[in-house]
Amino acid sequence: MKTGLVLEGGAMRGMFTAGVLDTFLDNNIKFDVIVGVSAGALFGVNLLSEQKGRALRYNKKYNSDKNYMGLIPLFKEGNFFSTEYAYDRVPRKLDPFDDEKFKHSDTDFYAVMTDIESGMPEYVKINSVFEQMDALRASGSMPFVSKPVEINGRKFLDGGISDSIPFEWLSSQGCEKIVVILTRAADYQKKPMNKAMAKLSGLKYPKIAERMKVRHEQYNSSVEKLRQWEKDGRAFVIRPSHTPEISRIEKDPEKLQAVYDLGTSDANAIIDDLKQYLAHLQSE
């Protein structure tokens, strides 16, 4: 029976996810299929390369560099995160990603991105992080502060626009039970997007604007459905025990560390239940 893992996005709230995933490494928790959205995809690849602490390490080191993240790359490149710095120099030279270990993993890894013409999600199997870096970059390209990423003549933005928590898609791939890591606390309710911002996005990308206008409804509905799956035993959900005190573009190393530590502590608190859940699945 197949097990699946869903990794929600949330920019630097993903430090919570990084802490949970490193706890999985400590406990040899593995899955047949993983699907990551935005930061969930960008940080999640480190689980398969088995590089504990890497996501925390490079974000603490480079987020405060104005050439890595912020207005300088936004004005120079049209991207809040510098493409050359964040997606080339860091993973290839400054804090090398182990792509060979990733490629030889037995786990299938997917990243979600949104087609700007249709507004529909696309689920891309990542076989090599270095060879498919554009797909990962597209998954994490936040609207308004990122240029669409062109892949094979089509353009894409953040996967969270169209499918923030793709547990139903993962179920359709044959995963009988699913583990979901959320980056919002249990009491979170997404609010409607600012109308002016939605209208602005519609000037160039009308389908993206349509998605953004109803995204809060779709997100909140998805969370409610996930709660029912959780009650039914179809999903095991890990969420922050309290609201992480962190900005989406956090630069403070201490705050990044604190949210990562929240992830490790919350994961350790449920790790025995998770092992029992997965062992029960394997015995069925």
Side-chain angles (χ1 to χ4, degrees), residues 131-173:
E131 293 174 13
Q132 296 173 275
M133 188 65 79
D134 280 350
L136 290 165
R137 185 163 64 89
S139 183
S141 290
M142 299 182 290
F144 305 112
V145 293
S146 306
K147 293 192 302 184
V149 178
E150 185 169 336
I151 302 173
N152 297 326
R154 298 165 62 197
K155 293 181 179 180
F156 300 90
L157 279 171
D158 197 312
I161 297 170
S162 54
D163 195 353
S164 296
I165 315 171
F167 62 96
E168 293 183 90
W169 176 83
L170 195 54
S171 177
S172 75
Q173 303 305 297

Side-chain angles (χ1 to χ4, degrees), residues 42-114:
L42 293 169
F43 298 161
V45 294
N46 295 289
L47 179 65
L48 301 194
S49 66
E50 299 181 11
Q51 290 177 279
K52 181 181 176 181
R54 181 175 177 272
L56 174 67
R57 184 173 61 244
Y58 74 74
N59 279 285
K60 287 177 68 175
K61 188 171 184 178
Y62 299 113
N63 279 13
S64 59
D65 187 333
K66 60 185 179 182
N67 294 302
Y68 177 82
M69 178 179 77
L71 294 178
I72 289 179
L74 182 61
F75 287 135
K76 282 186 175 180
E77 306 178 20
N79 294 305
F80 197 80
F81 288 86
S82 168
T83 298
E84 188 275 332
Y85 198 154
Y87 294 98
D88 186 25
R89 265 200 290 161
V90 169
R92 291 183 183 273
K93 298 177 182 178
L94 300 178
D95 198 326
F97 177 77
D98 191 343
D99 198 37
E100 288 304 311
K101 174 76 77 172
F102 178 90
K103 289 192 290 186
H104 288 91
S105 170
D106 292 330
T107 300
D108 291 337
F109 191 96
Y110 291 83
V112 186
M113 52 191 193
T114 302

